[in-house]
Amino acid sequence: MRKATVGFMAVGLQPYWGQFEGMRENCEFHHQELKGKFNSDKVEIEDVGIIDSEELAREAGKTFEEKKVEVIFCQMLTYAASVYIAPVVRNLSVPVVILNVQYKKALDYANVKGIGDWLGEGITCAGVPEATAVLSCLGKQFAVVTGHMEKGSDIVEKLEDWCDAALIKSTLANGNLGLFGHPYQGMMDLCVNESRIFEKFGTYVYHLDWEEIIREGEKASSEDVQKRIDEMGRTFDLDSQVQEADIAYIARTAEGLERIAEKYRLHSFATHYEFDAPESQVDLVAALNPAMTLMMTEGMANAPEGDIKSALAMVIMRALAGNAMTAELYSMDFTDGICLIGHSGACDANISREKAVLKMSNVFHGKSGKGYMTQFHLESGAVTMLALTEKADGNYKLVAAEGMSVEGPVLQLGDTNLRVKFPMDMEEFVNAWSMEGPSHHGVLSKGLHVRKLRAVAKVLGLELKVITEQERRSK
């Protein structure tokens, strides 16, 4: 599993060390304690230790630049002058997370016998306004995380949000997207400037040929094909019309996609088939939905209709939630105050409470060819919808909304769809969502993820517009 590289540093006021015996040693202990709360499965930590001089700050900045860190975490150990921070970040363009994290939940007031007992235990917040003022003047992206390290703290969860964000940035910057076909004709919101996509996210778009899927699939061993067939049995209830030869072809198609993903180091696909298939590709077109469903269930992002922005949004949500499906506003139910949300085509089976029935359809509405329908069914519970859109100035923006998937009738037409109730009037929600220009497709995942998306937006340097946010129960 790829890890993100993050910078970790701490700051403390140098004059304190000579004035108060044992303070620096205590601060070093606190630094190691906080370091241990990061998720080492997701991040490699480049720790430069305690910075307490302008000279050390410059050296730390060079180290972080050499190691190409995605984020810098700066722990406030005591009050510390901002000259310990500014030289670190001056030549870097990565976000800085100020860790305003006390070792103790509260001072033991009765036993604070001297200034040293106070300064080394409970004055992390004193330097935060100064640090953020200087970061603001330098034009740096920054955030503040506040908490403590004693029992009952949520600091581990807060750090996890930023580790996830750093890992998403690294995934996008070090992987590529495979485009089969082109954006759906006439859907102008799906068209992108690929140079700008690369500049902002680091993702290169490979334009791939459909025949390559067939060629790569033919290279798959019988053992690999059988594994895919077994996987299909765990994912789908197979309709009686689906023959063994069809199942084997779908399995080979999935293997072809897997080989292509490895060859081009892909984190996502965007696909759209918009012409009458030649004889050699008729079976391929039919097999794409279930084959891509297998890929998505294993973690690959995939967007229909050639939607590159939606594929990138799915990379984000898949990393945060462990599941994601393409989502568009389907229909409004004014009686129940819910919005029907869904999409046709491949889907991540991790989002479903049961297997999908795999059956053939002779018509794909608005698209050419025939193929297999893959309708999955979500259980009731919290969901988050996300869209990545482009603004008039060419910059990108995230639009997010939390809601609840609720029980009730849905369309039984072969498309995955669900009933979502948002924490605002349904009409107001549709208007508010649409007014942000979120593009045709969004991505939907189980769970509430707006808190994490705030970290993602900061790390990626994107604007985030939150339309709705569910009330969370306090711990």
Side-chain angles (χ1 to χ4, degrees):
M1 177 182 176
R2 173 180 289 279
K3 296 182 181 181
T5 301
V6 300
F8 187 44
M9 59 180 280
V11 291
L13 193 67
Q14 189 180 63
Y16 288 166
W17 313 144
Q19 292 177 325
F20 306 106
E21 184 179 357
M23 182 183 289
R24 182 180 172 89
E25 290 75 16
N26 283 341
C27 286
E28 288 175 344
F29 173 74
H30 297 166
H31 181 59
Q32 292 304 315
E33 283 290 294
L34 187 57
K35 182 179 178 179
K37 296 185 183 299
F38 284 86
N39 188 334
S40 60
D41 291 334
K42 295 182 178 180
V43 294
E44 293 280 0
I45 300 176
E46 187 63 35
D47 184 6
V48 295
I50 297 176
I51 306 301
D52 57 6
S53 71
E54 167 266 336
E55 183 180 6
L56 285 176
R58 291 185 186 275
E59 292 177 5
K62 292 177 183 177
T63 298
F64 289 155
E65 188 172 13
E66 290 171 359
K67 297 298 183 179
K68 298 180 180 179
V69 301
E70 306 284 0
V71 182
I72 295 172
F73 293 94
C74 178
Q75 180 186 10
M76 309 299 287
L77 288 170
T78 69
Y79 162 74
S82 50
V83 73
Y84 302 163
I85 299 174
V88 177
V89 303
R90 180 178 180 274
N91 297 320
L92 298 173
S93 58
V94 299
V96 180
V97 182
I98 298 294
L99 299 178
N100 174 35
V101 182
Q102 289 185 172
Y103 181 65
K104 292 184 175 180
K105 188 174 184 179
L107 291 170
D108 182 2
Y109 299 101
N111 290 313
V112 175
K113 303 301 183 183
I115 294 177
D117 298 330
W118 160 48
L119 294 178
E121 298 288 350
I123 194 172
T124 62
C125 58
V128 175
E130 178 181 340
T132 56
V134 170
L135 290 170
S136 182
C137 286
L138 293 174
K140 303 302 180 182
Q141 290 276 343
F142 64 88
V144 178
V145 172
T146 295
H148 62 88
M149 286 189 266
E150 289 196 321
K151 185 177 180 181
S153 169
D154 62 353
I155 195 64
V156 170
E157 290 84 352
K158 290 176 178 177
L159 292 176
E160 185 83 356
D161 292 350
W162 291 96
C163 290
D164 285 337
L167 187 56
I168 287 168
K169 181 181 180 182
S170 179
T171 298
L172 291 170
N174 292 285
N176 304 307
L177 180 147
L179 176 64
F180 286 104
H182 56 76
Y184 191 106
Q185 184 68 35
M187 295 179 72
M188 297 171 66
D189 64 316
L190 304 190
C191 299
V192 300
N193 181 330
E194 293 176 17
S195 296
R196 188 158 287 171
I197 289 286
F198 183 77
E199 183 274 331
K200 189 63 184 177
F201 301 102
T203 293
Y204 176 70
V205 178
Y206 274 99
H207 291 247
L208 303 174
D209 191 288
W210 297 103
E211 289 288 338
E212 189 169 4
I213 304 175
I214 298 173
R215 291 195 301 270
E216 292 296 330
E218 289 172 347
K219 298 176 184 178
S221 67
S222 57
E223 291 81 5
D224 288 338
V225 171
Q226 185 58 52
K227 289 179 182 177
R228 291 289 181 183
I229 292 173
D230 294 342
E231 187 181 343
M232 287 181 65
R234 294 189 294 269
T235 307
F236 301 108
D237 279 331
L238 303 177
D239 185 83
S240 59
Q241 295 181 347
V242 182
Q243 304 300 311
E244 288 188 9
D246 301 326
I247 296 171
Y249 190 87
I250 293 169
R252 283 199 177 275
T253 301
E255 277 298 301
L257 290 167
E258 176 68 27
R259 288 168 175 267
I260 289 170
E262 293 176 357
K263 178 179 179 181
Y264 297 104
R265 302 183 320 298
L266 305 181
H267 52 54
S268 55
F269 289 108
T271 60
H272 181 56
Y273 204 105
E274 195 173 318
F275 54 90
D276 292 332
E279 186 175 351
S280 63
Q281 295 180 14
V282 169
D283 290 339
L284 172 65
V285 175
L288 279 174
N289 278 348
M292 195 63 82
T293 291
L294 297 180
M295 294 292 292
M296 292 174 70
T297 303
E298 290 181 351
M300 177 66 67
N302 172 66
E305 294 161 6
D307 189 347
I308 290 172
K309 296 194 299 294
S310 183
L312 297 179
M314 188 173 289
V315 172
I316 294 172
M317 290 307 297
R318 191 68 178 69
L320 297 182
N323 59 83
M325 59 173 279
T326 305
E328 67 176 66
L329 305 184
Y330 256 18
S331 189
M332 297 176 291
D333 186 327
F334 289 90
T335 301
D336 294 338
I338 60 95
C339 195
L340 209 61
I341 294 175
H343 206 276
S344 59
C347 187
D348 179 358
N350 293 298
I351 209 162
S352 186
R353 66 172 183 262
E354 60 189 67
K355 295 180 181 180
V357 176
L358 187 66
K359 58 184 178 182
M360 177 65 75
S361 174
N362 291 319
V363 177
F364 284 161
H365 63 275
K367 302 178 181 70
S368 62
K370 63 181 181 178
Y372 294 97
M373 308 300 288
T374 54
Q375 181 168 358
F376 289 93
H377 303 275
L378 274 74
E379 59 189 358
S380 59
V383 295
T384 301
M385 191 159 71
L386 178 71
L388 174 64
T389 190
E390 187 175 0
K391 302 191 293 183
D393 61 5
N395 290 317
Y396 295 96
K397 176 175 73 173
L398 294 171
V399 185
E402 292 179 342
M404 299 295 293
S405 169
V406 297
E407 295 294 334
V410 296
L411 300 176
Q412 301 294 331
L413 303 175
D415 298 352
T416 301
N417 62 109
L418 63 152
R419 299 162 64 87
V420 180
K421 192 171 187 63
F422 293 96
M424 69 162 53
D425 179 79
M426 184 269 291
E427 296 177 53
E428 293 179 8
F429 168 77
V430 174
N431 289 345
W433 178 266
S434 301
M435 286 299 293
E436 294 301 323
S439 193
H440 181 74
H441 299 118
V443 175
L444 184 139
S445 297
K446 295 190 293 186
L448 302 177
H449 303 288
V450 161
R451 190 186 75 180
K452 287 180 176 289
L453 285 169
R454 290 192 170 97
V456 172
K458 185 69 70 174
V459 169
L460 294 179
L462 299 175
E463 176 188 349
L464 170 64
K465 176 64 178 180
V466 177
I467 306 300
T468 57
E469 190 168 4
Q470 288 287 143
E471 183 179 355
R472 284 158 172 77
R473 295 178 180 177
S474 59
K475 292 184 178 180

